[in-house]
Amino acid sequence: FYLVDILLLAGVIALARREPYRPSARAYLVSTFPPFLIMASLTSTLVLLWDQTPFATIVLVGPLLVIAFYQRWLHGAFERLREFDRLKDEFIAVLSHELRTPLTSVYGASLTLQQKQLDEPTRESLLGIVTTESARLARLFDDALWANRLDTGRGETVIVPTDAEALTSEVVEAARTRLPEELTLELEVEAGVPLVAADPDRLRQILVNLIENAKKYSPDGGVVRVGVGPAGRYVRFLVADEGLGIPESEHGRIFEKFYRTDPNMTRGVGGTGLGLYICRELVRRMEGRIWVNSEEGRGSTFVFELPTARS
Ligand code: ADP
């Protein structure tokens, strides 16, 4: 049965993939024969044992199943590690690229600024480039630093009753000063926002990260809405954009460390895959929760909730 099955299967796959039959049959035989042999000998041992003493067979099946599940779990963990390793390698390549882009802009702008005969508007625009690109560099370093702190358990949060409304509008005001022309930033504050139990600096960091993402992934412009309001025992924050959106299949993974969606899907927008991971970890440390509602091409809404100071 085994031989017929494998040879037929190899034939079907070789036909579908338009590969030569012999090498693929040999590859399937080599990769499936050892597990087949183990399973076959185990099964015959169990059948023989059943004839002698059914009780011993039943007792043996338990540990065998545990071993099989443990093997499966080990295999899964190993696969996850391999994927993580791949993402890490990709991250190093991405980071070098992400560092070089702002550095080149700052270098170019400062070289031009050294020329004496520049008119005032050009000077202003070059200084603007230096400021924006240096801020981008600083954010990049901050993200790398925070990801490392969170991994090594050094990202402590100091939770105090915080005025969520004042903090959110302060972040929005600051973001407005660096807004591209094609984007509008709106603040929506619901009535009766209670004090939130949060670390103000970390809360600011999460909001800045989400707003920066909303800007970055809205290459055609649109409205970015930042909202804050009460939600039972929680205070709810949201950052909504009308940008590229995220397919549902990616919703679970975008909060993973280093994970980035396919650059073709995001029209090559740069990034390191650390921002949302940091947001999730910080929200967790403040005993809150974070999620996304989004559809490809229809914008995204990132929502997070933190406990109210009273609760
Ligand atoms: P990155 O530095 O790549 O932006 P993040 O961790 O912040 O890393 O985001 C992970 C991925 O989630 C991004 O690569 C992007 O594909 C997707 N993403 C995050 N925010 C948005 C958004 N507002 N709109 C569309 N896609 C987003």
Side-chain angles (χ1 to χ4, degrees):
F1 272 141
Y2 162 76
L3 271 180
V4 171
D5 271 358
I6 286 297
L7 293 178
L8 272 178
L9 186 73
V12 172
I13 293 178
L15 253 175
R17 292 190 181 160
R18 290 164 209 261
E19 288 168 356
Y21 176 70
R22 273 161 177 259
S24 83
R26 195 175 315 121
Y28 283 111
L29 271 176
V30 167
S31 64
T32 57
F33 194 64
F36 165 74
L37 212 61
I38 295 171
M39 289 303 290
S41 55
L42 251 177
T43 314
S44 15
T45 312
L46 286 177
V47 169
L48 285 178
L49 199 67
W50 180 267
D51 270 349
Q52 307 292 321
T53 149
F55 176 71
T57 318
I58 291 167
V59 170
L60 208 67
V61 165
L64 281 177
L65 276 178
V66 171
I67 291 173
F69 281 120
Y70 184 62
Q71 275 283 347
R72 232 183 117 91
W73 178 82
L74 270 184
H75 182 72
F78 179 67
E79 283 297 312
R80 279 196 296 280
L81 266 180
R82 270 223 315 226
E83 164 76 355
F84 189 69
D85 208 43
R86 189 187 64 75
L87 287 174
K88 216 169 176 173
D89 286 347
E90 218 174 88
F91 168 74
I92 291 169
V94 164
L95 188 67
S96 335
H97 176 262
E98 287 293 302
L99 284 175
R100 185 170 300 146
T101 318
L103 266 180
T104 313
S105 308
V106 170
Y107 182 62
S110 34
L111 274 187
T112 322
L113 274 168
Q114 281 173 349
Q115 297 169 12
K116 300 228 161 37
Q117 66 276 31
L118 283 180
D119 55 41
E120 206 42 43
T122 318
R123 202 177 187 76
E124 286 287 314
S125 116
L126 287 171
L127 282 173
I129 292 176
V130 172
T131 321
T132 335
E133 296 301 305
S134 320
R136 194 168 139 191
L137 267 177
R139 266 201 310 279
L140 216 66
F141 282 117
D142 262 5
D143 277 357
L145 192 81
W146 265 95
N148 180 260
R149 269 190 199 161
L150 292 167
D151 283 350
T152 50
R154 285 180 296 122
E156 302 91 11
T157 46
V158 183
I159 296 185
V160 290
T162 306
D163 185 341
E165 189 180 328
L167 191 142
T168 311
S169 53
E170 186 190 304
V171 172
V172 169
E173 278 315 310
R176 276 203 181 114
T177 58
R178 302 184 302 271
L179 207 62
E181 264 172 26
E182 63 278 10
L183 272 175
T184 327
L185 190 54
E186 287 176 2
L187 173 66
E188 293 171 359
V189 181
E190 286 177 39
V193 185
L195 288 179
V196 63
D199 181 326
D201 288 337
R202 303 293 69 89
L203 176 54
R204 198 172 289 118
Q205 188 176 356
I206 299 167
L207 283 167
V208 168
N209 251 329
L210 294 180
I211 295 174
E212 286 303 321
N213 271 357
K215 283 162 58 180
K216 207 163 74 168
Y217 295 104
S218 301
D220 300 327
V223 181
V224 174
R225 284 185 304 115
V226 181
V228 54
R233 289 193 309 113
Y234 290 88
V235 177
R236 179 174 298 161
F237 300 84
L238 69 84
V239 178
D241 64 62
E242 301 174 338
L244 300 172
I246 306 160
E248 200 161 341
S249 55
E250 302 278 339
H251 288 191
R253 296 213 64 191
I254 54 172
F255 292 96
E256 286 174 19
K257 192 175 177 190
F258 301 138
Y259 189 79
R260 311 198 60 226
T261 54
D262 185 347
N264 292 328
M265 216 146 62
T266 51
R267 294 205 226 152
V269 176
T272 54
L274 290 178
L276 289 181
Y277 164 74
I278 294 172
C279 290
R280 183 192 69 183
E281 289 304 307
L282 290 177
V283 167
R284 276 187 185 164
R285 274 171 173 68
M286 294 191 274
E287 289 171 26
R289 49 199 181 202
I290 184 167
W291 68 93
V292 62
N293 296 321
S294 178
E295 255 180 73
E296 198 172 358
R298 299 188 152 211
S300 319
T301 304
F302 283 87
V303 187
F304 66 97
E305 292 179 343
L306 297 176
T308 62
R310 263 169 279 130
S311 67

